[in-house]
């Protein structure tokens, strides 16, 4: 059985107000092409199909069109679980009609294992699919005390119990896969992941997965990565697009798993190329360097986070001109290289009018305050002391 594992599409997500739906459509096209080229038997989407619980209509249209294409209109199995960004009830609402087209949609946490016959390889898939299991979605209060350490232990214990129940349903004559959307202790995070845990409370140990699972397909972390210390291959496929500049320079991918009953899986990363990359520019030579880079066509398809060294403030005209020449600047941040030195004198033996004169000279580059200004300053000090 050949499985494609993906997650964290975040359809409808914007970049500082800039729509990325066109990029998301392009990367879905690429995944569909890969599914067909690689002769994939099953597609797994491990949560966060959408970026919000109330996604825009065009994002939902893209999602359901993608599912129909990935399933080859009912000839390939697709399994989708809800992530912390998805509305579990809304995702589950379409499950009855989706099931008729070989698409399994799971919104709420369950310990039931899905048994799916896969005709293309004539094998049985036993998939322990656990949608995002928060306390509210589990409909349980795990700890009455507001203690993070206790809650973490209770949460891990509860998730381990769910996986243990799934483990009982796995079969030696089938392909056994676990899938969930959660944070496993030790995973590398980035800025585009909104936390799913309070502090570190909603954290699961890598040894809590069902022991008979041949592979664990995970969602939530946007950097593709293997789970350390798991007793079987367990992996975050990562998001198919970079969603924050903390992901600049990271390649995006999906994971393909070849696995047979009673055999160790072969896991490989397949890289994606669609969508605009996110890059950081640091112009240490000022505006001239930025204009030179634009003329050279540097990173001509990327969204850009620009930090520019300047001695004086950038004017609104400077910023407007940069954005007019290149609409891909998401952030433009000046870095002032000449910072004003602030000196504080705390001397009780120096008259306050002398301290004021010295301060005035530093602020004006050597100017002398008039007698009227000094007297006004002393008057204000006296009024403040009387309060």
């Amino acid at each position: 059985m050949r499985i494609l594992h993906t997650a964290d599409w975040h359809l409808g997500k914007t970049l500082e107000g800039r729509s990325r739906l066109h990029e998301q459509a392009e990367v879905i096209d690429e995944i569909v092409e890969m599914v067909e080229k690689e002769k994939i038997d099953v597609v797994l989407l491990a949560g966060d199909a959408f970026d919000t619980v109330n996604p825009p209509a065009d994002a939902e249209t893209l999602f359901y069109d993608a599912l129909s294409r990935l399933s080859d209109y009912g000839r390939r199995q697709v399994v989708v679980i809800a992530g912390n960004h998805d509305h579990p009830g809304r995702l589950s609402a379409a499950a009855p009609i989706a099931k008729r087209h070989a698409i399994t949609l799971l919104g709420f946490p369950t310990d039931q294992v899905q048994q799916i016959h896969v005709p293309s390889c004539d094998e049985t898939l036993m998939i322990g699919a656990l949608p995002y299991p928060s306390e509210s979605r589990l409909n349980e209060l795990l700890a009455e005390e507001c203690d993070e350490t206790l809650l973490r232990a209770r949460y891990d214990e509860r998730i381990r119990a769910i996986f243990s129940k799934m483990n009982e349903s796995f079969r030696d004559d089938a392909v056994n896969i676990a899938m969930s959307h959660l944070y496993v202790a030790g995973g590398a995070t980035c800025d585009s992941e909104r936390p799913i845990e309070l502090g570190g409370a909603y954290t699961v140990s890598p040894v809590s997965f069902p022991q008979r699972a041949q592979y664990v397909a995970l969602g939530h972390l946007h950097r593709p990565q293997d789970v350390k210390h798991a007793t079987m291959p367990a992996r975050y496929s990562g998001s198919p697009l970079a969603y924050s500049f903390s992901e600049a320079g990271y390649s995006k991918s999906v994971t393909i798993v070849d696995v047979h009953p009673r055999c160790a899986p072969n896991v490989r990363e397949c890289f994606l190329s669609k969508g605009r990359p996110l890059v950081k520019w640091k112009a240490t030579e000022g505006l001239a360097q930025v204009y030179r880079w634009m003329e050279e066509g540097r990173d001509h398809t990327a969204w850009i986070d620009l930090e520019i060294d300047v001695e004086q403030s950038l004017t609104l005209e400077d910023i407007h001109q940069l954005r007019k020449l290149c609409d891909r600047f998401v952030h433009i941040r000046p870095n002032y290289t000449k910072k004003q030195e602030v000196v504080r004198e705390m001397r009780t033996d120096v008259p306050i009018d002398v301290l004021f004169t010295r301060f005035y000279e530093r602020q004006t580059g050597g100017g002398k305050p008039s007698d009227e200004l000094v007297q006004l300053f002393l008057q204000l000090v006296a009024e403040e002391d009387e309060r």
Side-chain angles (χ1 to χ4, degrees), residues 120-291:
S120 56
C121 61
D122 195 25
E123 290 181 339
T124 299
L125 171 66
M126 303 296 291
I127 180 161
L130 177 61
Y132 168 55
S134 66
E135 274 189 300
S136 60
R137 296 189 190 184
L138 287 167
N139 198 26
E140 296 180 31
L141 180 63
L142 298 176
E144 294 184 1
E145 301 88 345
C146 188
D147 180 270
E148 184 179 313
T149 302
L150 176 61
L151 180 56
R152 183 188 299 117
R154 294 278 177 83
Y155 183 77
D156 184 45
E157 180 182 326
R158 184 68 183 94
I159 301 306
R160 185 180 302 168
I162 293 174
F163 281 140
S164 179
K165 180 71 181 300
M166 291 177 172
N167 201 59
E168 297 173 3
S169 299
F170 285 155
R171 295 168 20 192
D172 290 339
D173 63 343
V175 171
N176 300 309
I177 302 294
M179 175 168 66
S180 191
H181 190 94
L182 40 72
Y183 178 65
V184 181
T189 62
C190 61
D191 292 346
S192 59
E193 301 142 4
R194 278 172 251 168
I196 62 175
E197 67 280 346
L198 175 63
Y202 286 179
T203 304
V204 175
S205 167
V207 300
S208 295
F209 300 132
Q211 293 304 302
R212 296 175 67 189
Q214 294 165 273
Y215 176 77
V216 181
L218 296 171
H220 178 55
L221 300 188
H222 290 185
R223 294 179 182 176
Q225 58 193 284
D226 295 324
V227 175
K228 299 177 181 178
H229 309 302
T231 57
M232 75 290 293
R235 181 171 172 81
Y236 288 97
S237 66
S239 61
L241 289 177
Y243 286 119
S244 77
F245 285 98
S246 65
E247 300 172 72
Y250 284 86
S251 298
K252 292 299 180 177
S253 63
V254 296
T255 302
I256 292 181
V257 182
D258 287 295
V259 59
H260 297 283
R262 295 180 293 274
C263 296
N266 177 45
V267 181
R268 58 192 170 99
E269 185 175 17
C270 294
F271 293 99
L272 300 169
S273 62
K274 299 299 183 180
R276 291 183 175 184
L278 273 59
V279 301
K280 293 183 178 181
W281 284 7
K282 182 171 176 56
T284 58
E285 301 172 19
L287 275 171
Q289 187 176 32
V290 178
Y291 287 126

Side-chain angles (χ1 to χ4, degrees), residues 2 31 34 59 74 113-114 144 146 177-178 272 274 340 362:
R2 178 164 288 180
I31 293 173
M34 189 179 295
V113 171
Q114 310 297 313
E144 294 184 1
C146 188
I177 302 294
L272 300 169
K274 299 299 183 180
Q340 190 173 18
R362 282 196 299 269

